[in-house]
Structures are given as C-alpha cells and as structure tokens.
Amino acid sequence: MSSFFRKLQKRLKPGEDDVMSEPPQDSNDPKNAGEEHVGHFGKTFMRKKVADSSGQQSIDNENDLRKESKLASQDGGADDLFAFQGGDDNHISPLYDDNLVSFSIFKGYTTPGPLEREESKKKKANLGVMLGVYLPTIQHILGVTMFIRLSWCVGVAGLGQTFLMLLLCCLCTFLTCISVSAVATNGVVESGGAYFMISRNLGPEFGSAVGILFYLANTVATAMYLVGGVEILLLYIFPWLTIGGIEVQTHTGVFGMMSHNYRIYGTILLILEFAIVAMGVKFVQMLAPVSLICVIISILACYAGGVEKTLNPDAGQSICMYDDHLIQSKLIMPDGVGISEICDYCTSAASMLMDELYKRGWNDSSLISCKNGYPGFASDALIKNLGASFPAEGEYVGHKVADRTFEIFQDHTTTFFHLLAIYFPAVTGILTGTNMSGDLKNPQASIPTGTIAAQLTTSFIYFSLALVFGAAISPELLRDKSGLSLNGGMVVAELAWPNKWILLVGSFLSTFGAALQCLCSAPRLLQGIAKDDVIPILAPFSKVTSKNEPFNGLIITTIIAELAILMGGMDNIAAVVDFFFLMCYAFVNLICALHSLLGAPNWRPRYTYYHWSLSLLGAGLCFFIMFSTHWDYALISVFLCMAIYKYVEWKGAKKEWGDGIRGLALTTAQYSLMKIEDEDVHPKNWRPQLLVLHSMPWSKELVDIRYLNLLNLASQLKAGRGLTIVVSFIRGDPTEADAQTNAKTIKKRMEFDMKQVRLRGFAKALLYNEDQITGSLHTLIQSIGIGGLRPNTLLLSWPTRAPDSDEYADSEYQTFTEKLHTGVNNGMCLVVAKGITDFPTNVKLTGEIDVYWIVQDGGLCLLMAFLLKQSKVWRGCKLRIIAVATMTDNNLKLQERLQTYVYELRIDAKIIVCELSDPQISKNAFERTLLMEERTRYMKQLRHPNSLMASLQQQQSRDSSPDIELSSTPGTPATAAENSVDQDGDNGSEKPAHSITNNTDKEKMLQNLDPTKVHKMHTALRLNELILNNSGNSQLVLLNLPKAPKKKEGLEDYIHYLEVLSDNVKRVLFVRGTGAEVITASS
C-alpha cells in the first residue's frame, strides 16, 4: 500500500497541496470548452480557474464539495493518504495549532475578509460561544433604534400593542435562529455567512439574488445607523450645530431643513468612517469592544433609572401641561435656563406662558400644571400606557389636532404596521455568528448556542425596557419623539441613572460603531459574492489591496450608503432596511423547511431541535411583515430578487453546489410522475411527446442538414408543450472508453444544437455494435420514459439510401425500416418527414399547408398542422383540408360534414373535396409493381450474399439473348418515377442491377403478380397524381401514413408504395396515429 501512496503523491505537482493534478489539455480542443477534467480514479468533475489579485489560481466549485470529506479524512492513520507534501505542510498544522491569536476578542466583532480567513487557516482564533458568537451578535442586534424609538412606540401604540409588535419581530428572528442553527450545523459555513448558506442550499441563482439583497441590507444599515447618530448628535448633544437653528428640528419632511441636516452631517460621518475602514480592519476591531461596553452600560443605566425614580419620585424631570396638551419648553423658558427649572415657568404667574396661551384662546389658567414626567413604577403610568393612541400627522393624541408652534405633535401618521416597519431593524443582526464560523473552535456547537442565546437575551431586553418605559414614564412624555418638552433632551436619557450623558454618549458611540461594522463587513460580503463568479459584472470587486482590503467594494458600498443617506430621516431608511433583511431571513427559513421536507441524505444537522413547520412559520412571518408594512417596497425587493435571479440564470452560472432547489425539482417531478396515469391518457390531455431518432455519421467539420432540420421541425411542433427526447445511435463498442468519450462529446453537441433551435428536452447518445441495432431500437422504445411520462410519437426523417451500403445491417435505409417497424409494434404514433432538407428553419413561409383527409385518423394530421401553425415559421400559411372522395361518396354532404367538424374543433381551415376516380388498372401500375418485386428480391439477395452468387451463376448459364429492361417508353410516368430523385435524395427508386432478360419472362411475371400489390400500387399512383394536381405549389403536404406491416417481410414493398405516393412532392409529412389521440371538440 505504501507504493500506492507514493504513486499518488508523485501525481501531485509541488505547491498544489491537496488539489488533484490534471492531465494536460489542449486549449484549442472544443472538447475542453466546458473545462472538464478527469482526476484520480477516473472521476470526472468540473472546475474553473480564476486568477485572484495575488496572481495565484484559485479553484472553486468542486473544492466546496470536498472540504468536509477532506477535513474528516485528515485524522489518525489517514494522514499518509491525504497529507500530500507540496512546498510546505502548513495545511495540516491548523488542525493541531491551539495557540490563540493575540487580541482575539477584537476578531469576534468583524466579519473576516478572504485573506483573513486564509490566515486563520494557519492560526485559528479558536473562539468560544461567548466571544465568538454571543457578544458579537448582541452588539449587532442592539442599536440606536432601541434608544430613540422604543419609548416613542410605547407612547403611541401602548404597552399592549408594543408587546405584540415586539412579539412579531422577536418571534420572526427566533424562528429564523432555529433555521440558521440547523443549516449552519449541516456542514461548514465559510465566507459570506448567510450568502454562503443560501447559495449552497438554494443554488447560485437564489444565492446570488439574496446575497446581493443581504449586501444591500448591510450597506443601507450603515446609512441608517449614521443618520440615527446624527439625530442623537443634533437633537440631544449639540443642538446648536443644527443648520437653520433649533426651530427647524421639527421640519422632518422629505425636503425639510432637518432632513437636509441629516443628509449633510450623515455624509460627513460617512466620509470619516470610509477613511477609518480604508486604513484597515484592525482599526475597526479596536472600536468594537468599546461600542459594546457602551451599549451594555446604557441599558443598565435605564434599569437603574427606573428603580431610582421609583425610590425617589421627586428626582424625575417635570414637564409643563395645559390640560392634556404637552407644551414645548422653549416657548415658555428664557434662553440659558436649564430644564430642571421648568416648573418656575409653568404657572399662571409666568408671563411667557400666559401670553402664548392667550394668543391661542386658552384662557383657563386652572388647566396649567407642572407634573412629574418620570413618576416611577409605583405610579399609575403603567395603567395609562396600556392603551394605544396612534395619532395622525399633526396630532398630539389620537383624533386631536395639535398646535405645531406651541405643543408636542407627530411628524407623520402612525399605525401599528408603520411602527413595525420602523422598529424591525432593531432585531436584525442574528446572522453574525455564521459569519464568524472560521474563527470558532467548535462552530457546530457555538453557532446554535450563541445565536439563540443572543436572540433570547435581546428579546428579554426589549420587552423589559418597554415595560420599564411604560411603567416609569408618563404617556404624554413618551409621545414626545424629539424631546421638545425637555428643551431638546432625549426622553430615555432623562430616565438614565446616574447621569443622562451615560446614555447619550453610549447611544452615539453604539451607532457609530455599528455603522463601522456594517461598512467593514459589506464590502467583504460583496467580494465573497464576486469570487464565486456567478455575476460577471461584479468581477472588479473580487480584488483586494496589498493590505488585504476590498477597496473597490468599499468604494461602491460607500456610494450606495450615501444614496441611502439622501433619503433623509432614519424612519425612511429603516423601512428600506427591513425588506432586505426580511428577504434574507425568509430564504434561510425556506432552506430549512425545504431540506426537512425533502429528507435529503445530506441533511444531517447537528442541531436537531428544529421542525419544518417552524421554518415555514418563520418564512411566512417574514413575508407577512414585508407586505403588511410597505407592500410597494416588498414588491420592489421581490422584483429585484427575481431580476438578479434571471440575470444569473441568463448568464448560465454552472455551479454544482447540490442545492435544494434541484432536490425540490426532483421530488416534485417524482410526485407528479406518480400522479400521471400509466395507462392511455384521455384524448383531451393527449399531446405529442416526441422521440426523435437519427443514426447518421458525426463529424466535427461537417454539419448534417437533415439532423438540424429534424430538430427544427421538432421545435416547431413543440406548441403542444410536450416531452422531447432526441436519441442518436452511434456505432461503437459500449465497453471501450474512447467510444464512451465520443458518445459524451456527441451528446454535448446535441444539447448545444437543441439549445440553438430552442428545443427544450433531453439528449441521449447510445452506443451499439453493428449487429445490435435491432435490439437497441426495441429496448430503447420499450424502456424510455418514466411512468406516464414517456414518448408517444416517433419523429423520423426519410432516408437517403446509398446503394453500396445497403448490405450493412445498420445502414441508413435498414435502420429507418427498423425504426418504422419498431414504432409500429410498440404502439407509437409515427411522423415521418420526407424532403427534410427542404424544411425551413427560421424563414417565415406563406402559402398553403394541405392536409389530405384520406382516412379517418381521429384528426391527428389536422392536429399536427395546427401545432405547426403556432410556430412563427408556418404562421403565415393558410390551412387547407383536401378530402379524397370515391365515386360512391356524396361530395356536398362530405364537405358539409367536414366543415362542421372543423368548426367544432375551433380550427380555421378551407375545405376542398376531390374525387379519386377508379378506372381500370393501368399498365404502369403493373410495371411499377413488377419493378418493386424485382427490387425487393435484389435487396434480399444483398442481405444474403450466398443466394446472390447462386442467382448470378444461374443467369450466366442461361442462353444469351438481348437484355430487355423493364421500362416504359420515354416520358411515361414510370420512367419519370424511376429516374426522378428528390433534390435531397429522399426518393430511393433505384432500378435493380439484376433485371428481366426477355419478353417471355416479363409477360409471365406480370401474370403472376399479386393482385393486391398491383391494386395498392395503382392507388398510390392515382393519389400521387391527385396531390401533384392540387398541391404542386403548397409549402407542406400532410398525408395519412398507411398502416405498416407488423412483420418485416412486407416493409420493402411498404416503403416503395410511400415513395410512389409522395413522388415529386417537395415537402411531405406522413402522420399515423394509434386511435388514442383523438382530437376532441369539447373543452
């Protein structure tokens, strides 16, 4: 075995580590166009080489599929097999390196870039649950929305509906966490986090679409955090920085001055953050723990403030009220006076207050009160805050209009779903742990535990903070969104203990840090998508700088974030962020549900506390929140997702990731096949399921027009939306590797040709030995298809016989007869195209399509003509039905019945009745029959060489006499038929070499002819004359294919009858049904 291992090691080039070597390939060989390579043990796989910024060749696709098995194999005694030695053996060391990277706590808060992950292979951080998943996830979830919007939501919606809103948000993320835990523990999650999971489970199309949306979510979230930080900065920390003065802080419309302030200062902060991120990820990592600590301290300060206000009610900040109107403090207090002295200016003796009241006609001074805005838990604030208010724009409470210049009011109309859209971004960030899988010591255990624990912790924080706000703060103050009653102070900051600046500084630093995280991780996510090479337009963003930074991605991310900042207020941006995250969460839930329902063998997550119903509920909640909040945004996000999906599909992303969509397709197909009856289908459900057979030589240099035109004809018949299987028979030994390779090459060419002519179906290339063609045909037709989904119509082209090849068992002519005979015996409909080289491809024809109604076939000929007219090639042609009547038929009655029949079938066609006279059988019919007999005898002798030699010797022993060949005088129909050959060579009327030698023998043989054969030949000649007279200029003639003999003895004569019947007709389509495919008049 050791020699075997050494041979394996020699096959690997130095420096390629554990990537399998490949035999040299010719880049100019068309066989290599698909970049197919053969690895060890003869296994074929697909891979594409892409040059990265360092000039090295990275190999994707197949490595993704093998990593799990490789890691599992690098253990114990298997080291000798898998530890191939290249330039170094560093690929083994990470498995045993227990040294932590210095400052590993910082790595827990930033999504690593591609080169950071390469570095982590050498030195893995080995982070645990706390530092690797729990704390980073909490940091991403908790943010600015909690500080500046949660208290306002309680005041507007009341505690009851606020809890309902939080329940929807937290239940959605909790169910998503369960799905994430299952998906993330079903293998290794690499770069890209959610994108990696979705793309490897739903395929490159959905993966790219949702990956782009997830990237946009992080990018737009950057703008949301920055605008939120600007709001804290201008309203509560440095209000004097507001451009236009403090009085414009309520002008929050789209073109309001405060919205312009958000845009200007948000852009300044974005430029600052761009500079920090451009310097490197280390600077971002250093700010991560500071931001998290500030958030935790701020939350604790809120809890402490609620307790402190309860123990010391007088410590709470007071507010000025007139009845139930909350008055803006700046109108009743002089400049420079602190808000703590507001009660001195909220009395009937205060001149500033009374002047403002008199201006508005409020003359009852007894309604003036200075009340405690933070009464604590022991007050009745909890009871008052239970009910909802939902004031509209310009109202201070529901259905009560406010005086915007004097009291508190709402800057836009509030509803439950409006608040849901604003607050949902506060619960996002649950996918942080999956992004950190490369730095985790045990991702399979850390991701579920850390993610779910972080989600439950933050959910408890949100519910408890809402309860604290509702129980400790008066409802009038909670509805003060901008803190105008506190002289521009933050409502939640005034609750904090020991000082409001703890929460002000902490909330601002948290928003700044969260924006840094998003601006740092979004370009890396974009680079992960670009490196997968499924969206060619993203190729420039796959490059990194010498400092391992995706600078190109950072630039485009900053531009998109700036566009989001231009939207204005944080509430507007939050509504957009919602839909990007919700689409991502919905697809993660769908992945888990899909795999659980399909029961794929590879679905073996270590986290087992999941169920498909929970995942479906989570996906349903995501879509419910999307469409209930902003249905227009939801439609845009869905449209954007589908646009990216179709773009990737159009570009033809070939990534074999074993995704669940293909598994779903297989399961759905299996379910549908089991539902389709295997017996004869109802005529209303019948449609032509084509089996296209051809057996002709293949050449790289030459293209067989017959083959391509046959594919075009099949495509033109596909208006029935049926199944199409194209099979090519190739002579060769099925056990030889070269023959198998040739068959695969031909199959790829067939698939390419089918795609070119827009024929959707399946291609097969079958190998056979020369003496196996008959058995191969029978086996193919009997076994092809699955259940009720099997071909029912055989599409063939009329052969072009080469006389010197007729002796071969698999010659074109012999193969055609075998196909015809096999199709008849297996109960298939037959469609035979004669003159196939003259059939059009993309040329739009005008003229007539003539359907000859010779026998009642259930209308199959008419159905085929109707299907052809659905194609743009034949759409310009007019349909004519030419009924062939005998001398005993009533022509008028026949025409009337056909007209009614066609009308009931809802087919537009012109009816023509032609009478086929039946005079005495002509001499021409006898002579053509005799010629047919001679040709049949000759063909048999060709197939049996011994009998041919005996016949020749017998003729040489006869008395010499002048040769008299069987022919009519020049110009007779017989001569024309014998000498005429269609332009494409379809007419095979060849005069036998062994012919009649004297008149005596000729007369004797004419008398001994079978009368049935003579009568058939006479009918064929008369019908051919009728067709030439009526359809000489028609674009296509459809004829009933006469019943073929069940045995091979009569096939030679049968083919000859058809040649005579279609002689000199440019394009002929022979059609024969089985009787089950009757075209119906009912709907």
Side-chain angles (χ1 to χ4, degrees), residues 115-307:
L115 296 183
E116 284 89 345
R117 286 186 295 274
E118 291 296 327
E119 183 67 20
S120 68
K121 293 180 181 179
K122 300 179 181 179
K123 284 191 175 183
K124 196 173 181 179
N126 287 337
L127 298 175
V129 177
M130 184 64 67
L131 296 180
V133 181
Y134 182 73
L135 291 180
T137 304
I138 283 183
Q139 182 204 11
H140 276 238
I141 294 177
L142 301 177
V144 62
T145 310
M146 173 184 62
F147 294 115
I148 65 178
R149 291 293 182 266
L150 182 57
S151 60
W152 174 69
C153 290
V154 174
V156 170
L159 269 176
Q161 296 200 38
T162 299
F163 279 177
L164 177 60
M165 177 191 71
L166 292 175
L167 178 64
L168 287 176
C169 295
C170 295
L171 181 61
C172 177
T173 55
F174 177 72
L175 295 176
T176 305
C177 284
I178 294 177
S179 300
V180 167
S181 301
V183 176
T185 56
N186 190 51
V188 179
V189 178
E190 297 188 355
S191 62
Y195 161 71
F196 184 88
M197 288 192 303
I198 295 173
S199 62
R200 268 55 176 183
N201 286 278
L202 289 183
E205 296 89 358
F206 274 117
S208 301
V210 182
I212 291 296
L213 293 181
F214 191 52
Y215 160 74
L216 292 175
N218 283 274
T219 303
V220 179
T222 302
M224 184 190 72
Y225 289 132
L226 289 178
V227 173
V230 172
E231 183 174 331
I232 295 173
L233 188 69
L234 297 183
L235 292 181
Y236 312 123
I237 300 179
F238 303 117
W240 51 270
L241 288 177
T242 305
I243 301 174
I246 299 177
E247 58 273 9
V248 303
Q249 291 183 348
T250 58
H251 301 171
T252 56
V254 177
F255 299 103
M257 194 60 200
M258 194 60 188
S259 297
H260 294 326
N261 277 271
Y262 292 149
R263 297 181 179 107
I264 294 172
Y265 285 103
T267 303
I268 295 174
L269 288 180
L270 179 62
I271 294 174
L272 177 61
E273 293 210 340
F274 170 81
I276 295 174
V277 175
M279 287 189 293
V281 69
K282 294 182 179 179
F283 294 92
V284 180
Q285 292 172 343
M286 294 175 63
L287 294 175
V290 177
S291 174
L292 179 60
I293 292 172
C294 290
V295 171
I296 295 175
I297 293 177
S298 300
I299 294 172
L300 294 177
C302 291
Y303 292 133
V307 175

